[in-house]
Amino acid sequence: MPMSAGAARQVLSESDVSRSLTRIAHEILERNRGSDDVVLLGIPTRGVPLAARIATRIESTEGSGTVPVGALDITMYRDDLRGQPTRTLGPTTVPEGGIDGKVVVLVDDVLYSGRTIRAALDALNDLGRPRAVQLAVLVDRGHRELPIRADYVGKNLPTSRAERVSVQLSETDDGAPDAVTISGGTAPADGEVAR
């Protein structure tokens, strides 16, 4: 029986989020043959704590050194500034040593149209010239408007455009437990796939 349009359903629990981030950390290490020259840049708001968590997992797996973590505010690079309410500028913090010649992994919570990542690439271009740029997201919900694909995905989540994916993290949501929920639209019946 389909769920009502307004009800939110949880698709990732706190333990699911934790496992997803651990898997992403291992995939980053495997693809880059270790953490040398890897820099994680989180996209505010929730990409920043996710980047820090991934860095901690990489460090505990590698057992040596720290993985540089920073934040990349993309507000002034967005292509929808005229149609959106005024956004508060967040800090951009680049780890000591910069990004030139490094493998930069952009970290965000949800990948949707791809426009946030396009803005992040423009912002990154103003900071330096990385050797490579990779993308890690907790959730890929589809509906891309630009040719952008994540290298590391915690959960592929087919959704309708009418649905809303919400990510809740303890660092950004007043200590609430980590969770990913879907609300709005019409949820699929058991066994059906949202389109």
Side-chain angles (χ1 to χ4, degrees):
M1 179 169 142
M3 186 166 32
S4 67
R9 63 183 167 104
Q10 186 175 29
V11 291
L12 289 178
S13 67
E14 189 167 14
S15 60
D16 295 330
V17 169
S18 179
R19 277 192 299 275
S20 294
L21 296 178
T22 299
R23 187 178 66 252
I24 288 170
H26 285 279
E27 289 174 359
I28 289 170
L29 285 170
E30 186 176 319
R31 180 170 177 174
N32 295 292
R33 295 185 174 98
S35 61
D36 293 343
D37 294 330
V38 171
V39 174
L40 300 175
L41 290 181
I43 299 171
T45 299
R46 289 172 182 82
V48 175
L50 290 173
R53 290 187 194 186
I54 292 168
T56 299
R57 285 165 168 79
I58 289 173
E59 291 162 7
S60 68
T61 300
E62 288 283 273
S64 62
T66 59
V67 177
V69 180
L72 182 65
D73 181 63
I74 53 101
T75 303
M76 297 310 294
Y77 295 87
R78 296 187 64 93
D79 63 3
D80 61 356
L81 283 176
R82 285 175 280 163
Q84 298 289 327
T86 305
R87 303 173 76 98
T88 304
L89 294 177
T92 290
T93 55
V94 178
E96 190 174 323
I99 62 168
D100 289 337
K102 309 282 187 179
V103 175
V104 173
V105 181
L106 296 172
V107 181
D108 203 5
D109 56 350
V110 179
L111 178 58
Y112 183 36
S113 68
R115 294 187 179 278
T116 295
I117 304 308
R118 186 218 41 91
L121 292 170
D122 288 346
L124 196 60
N125 190 47
D126 284 350
L127 295 177
R129 191 169 193 273
R131 182 172 82 236
V133 179
Q134 299 169 1
L135 175 60
V137 297
L138 181 59
V139 174
D140 183 345
R141 65 171 292 187
H143 304 288
R144 215 74 75 242
E145 295 172 4
L146 298 170
I148 289 174
R149 180 182 61 84
D151 299 281
Y152 313 104
V153 178
K155 173 90 172 159
N156 284 298
L157 194 58
T159 61
S160 74
R161 288 188 182 270
E163 290 174 311
R164 177 175 170 75
V165 175
S166 298
V167 175
Q168 178 177 288
L169 299 176
S170 59
E171 297 94 331
T172 58
D173 298 289
D174 297 324
D178 299 342
V180 177
T181 58
I182 296 180
S183 59
T186 302
D190 290 338
E192 289 182 349
V193 175
R195 302 206 187 279

